[in-house]
Structures are given as structure tokens and as C-alpha cells.
Amino acid sequence: MSAAVASTAAYLARRAAQKQRVRILYRRALKDTLNWAVHRHLFYRDASDLRERFDANKNVEDLDTIDKIIYEGEASYNKWRHPDPYIVPWAPGGSKFTRNPTPPEGVSLLIFIIQ
Amino acid sequence: MAARSVLLKHLRVNAKPLPHNINLNSSFGLSFNVVRRLFSEEVRGSFLDKSEVTDRVVAVVKNFQKIDPSKVTPNAHFGNGLGLDSLDTVEIVMALEEEFGFEIPDNEADKINTIGLAVEFIASHPQAK
């Protein structure tokens, strides 16, 4: 029965969606770890701990268990989010975002220099 | 008429002819130098060269601990060719983000699974350093 279940398209689609959720969760959790751990050696240690926590659940096959684990992971990510994350300055949320928007084409400025 | 022209000649200030200069209101006794500046060329970021991007990306990937450095080619696939996990792909994308001073949105970062895609993405982004 599990072989028939394993080959249906719906199952594969659901697995693929779960894998994408796991990847995005891992990416956000890693960035958050970088935000919290100021020194680089602390970051490496925390990142390998995070990786082990993800790897421990790697071989689970049951879809509902996987959903539950992902939900718990997202909940703990939301709990641990850094209040002031580092965002690259020109990205949305950064300090330089839309600071100097590109002027429209062909606009030129006349500067008056008084001598 | 003649008095007018004499008066104007007396009042006219000597304008040094500089390129792109319009001498306005010279009867005030001051001369304004007007400089035209076209803005739109200065604000645009610069795109990085593709071969330079490839070299830097390959160097970052080679420094990764789980990879055999001799297998890294500019066309390698992270999952199939180099034998990496999907979580390893995420780690590599984060390392590339740090290298180039970048921010990749989450759904875009998910789709990068070859070196070629990463190079194209970085080379087409104007703010990659």
C-alpha cells in the first residue's frame, strides 16, 4: 500500500512543498543564528547545532509527522526571531532602501555657481 | 539708441567662455555660472563581470568543507554533480550572499541549485559588490 501511495502525484507534490518549506525555514533560521551570534566562532557552533537538529528528522517518511515537525520548527523560529536583524542596506527594510531613487530619464539639474 | 548701446556696453561683464555656460543676468554685476548635470547616469549601480563572478563563486564553493575541490566546475549542479543535500545548497547560497554583500529573496534563493544559475543571478543584479 505504501508503494502505491509513494508514487501518486499528490504525494510527490506534497513532499516537494514540504521540502521547500524546510529549505526556507533552514535559511531563515541560519540567518537568525547569524543575527544572534555576534562572533563568528559562536555562529559556526550554533549553525552546526542547528544543522544537527534538522538532520535528526531527516528520515521521517510519514507526511503528517513531517507537517507537525515543520510546524513546530516554524513556531520555534518565530519565538527566537531577532528584534533587530541585519538587513543589507539597499534591501527592503534596510537603511538605504529608496533613499536615492533613480530620477526619471533625461532630467538634468541646473546648478548656479555665483562668482 | 546710441546711448543705449553705449550704456549696455559699459554694463556688460566680461564672460569667460566656458563650455556649457549660460551667462544670465549679467546686468546685475554678478555672473552666474550654470552647470548642467545629468543625473540618471550616476545613480545606476554597476554590474559585475561574469567571469569574475564565476571565479569568486567557484572559490567560495571550493572552500566548502563537504565538497571535493576537484569536482567543482562552472557548470556543476549542487545536488547531482557535487552530491550535496538541499540544506547544503541553502548553506552555499548563504555563503554567496555574504561574499557578495547581497540579499536574495527567499523564493528566489530556493531555485538556485546550480552554479550557473547563481552566477547569472549575481551578474544581473546591479548591487553586487
Side-chain angles (χ1 to χ4, degrees), chain A residues 70-85:
Chain A
I70 294 179
Y71 178 71
E72 280 170 12
E74 283 174 357
S76 79
Y77 163 70
N78 278 329
K79 182 174 161 217
W80 281 101
R81 278 174 77 165
H82 197 279
D84 185 20

Side-chain angles (χ1 to χ4, degrees), chain A residues 20 23 26-28 30-31 34 40 51 54 58 88 90-91 100 102-103 105 107-115, chain B residues 31-39 66 85 87-88 90-91 93-94 97-98 101-104 106 109-110 125 127:
Chain A
Q20 185 173 15
R23 282 199 294 262
Y26 182 60
R27 187 181 147 83
R28 290 189 183 160
L30 205 55
K31 281 195 176 166
L34 189 57
R40 198 77 189 183
R51 183 65 198 258
F54 269 79
K58 204 159 113 160
V88 180
W90 43 261
N100 287 323
T102 49
E105 276 297 315
V107 167
S108 61
L109 182 71
L110 300 176
I111 302 178
F112 285 84
I113 304 173
I114 302 177
Q115 285 183 339
Chain B
S31 70
F32 290 92
N33 280 335
V34 174
V35 175
R36 283 183 85 104
R37 268 233 222 125
L38 285 173
F39 258 142
K66 296 184 190 170
D85 207 5
L87 295 184
D88 291 327
V90 171
E91 282 182 12
V93 168
M94 273 217 49
E97 274 190 8
E98 283 187 348
F102 227 68
E103 183 85 15
I104 307 183
D106 283 339
D110 212 26
H125 209 285
Q127 266 113 353

Side-chain angles (χ1 to χ4, degrees), chain A residues 44, chain B residues 55-69 72 92 95 99:
Chain A
Y44 284 137
Chain B
D55 287 339
R56 280 166 78 176
V57 168
V58 164
V60 165
V61 173
K62 277 188 188 168
N63 276 336
F64 208 65
Q65 282 143 349
K66 296 184 190 170
I67 290 192
D68 192 11
V72 179
I92 286 190
E99 158 82 18

Side-chain angles (χ1 to χ4, degrees), chain A residues 14-113:
Chain A
R14 217 172 137 191
R15 270 312 278 265
Q18 282 173 345
K19 284 181 186 170
Q20 185 173 15
R21 276 175 78 184
V22 169
R23 282 199 294 262
I24 290 181
L25 178 65
Y26 182 60
R27 187 181 147 83
R28 290 189 183 160
L30 205 55
K31 281 195 176 166
D32 217 34
T33 324
L34 189 57
N35 280 330
W36 279 114
V38 180
H39 300 290
R40 198 77 189 183
H41 61 278
L42 297 173
F43 165 64
Y44 284 137
R45 206 181 329 145
D46 289 341
S48 55
D49 286 345
L50 179 72
R51 183 65 198 258
E52 273 165 28
R53 274 159 59 192
F54 269 79
D55 277 341
N57 295 328
K58 204 159 113 160
N59 294 321
V60 180
E61 287 293 338
D62 182 27
L63 285 180
D64 294 328
T65 325
I66 297 179
D67 273 341
K68 190 153 94 68
I69 295 176
I70 294 179
Y71 178 71
E72 280 170 12
E74 283 174 357
S76 79
Y77 163 70
N78 278 329
K79 182 174 161 217
W80 281 101
R81 278 174 77 165
H82 197 279
D84 185 20
Y86 172 72
I87 305 176
V88 180
W90 43 261
S95 53
K96 219 167 129 178
F97 184 54
T98 63
R99 181 180 278 192
N100 287 323
T102 49
E105 276 297 315
V107 167
S108 61
L109 182 71
L110 300 176
I111 302 178
F112 285 84
I113 304 173

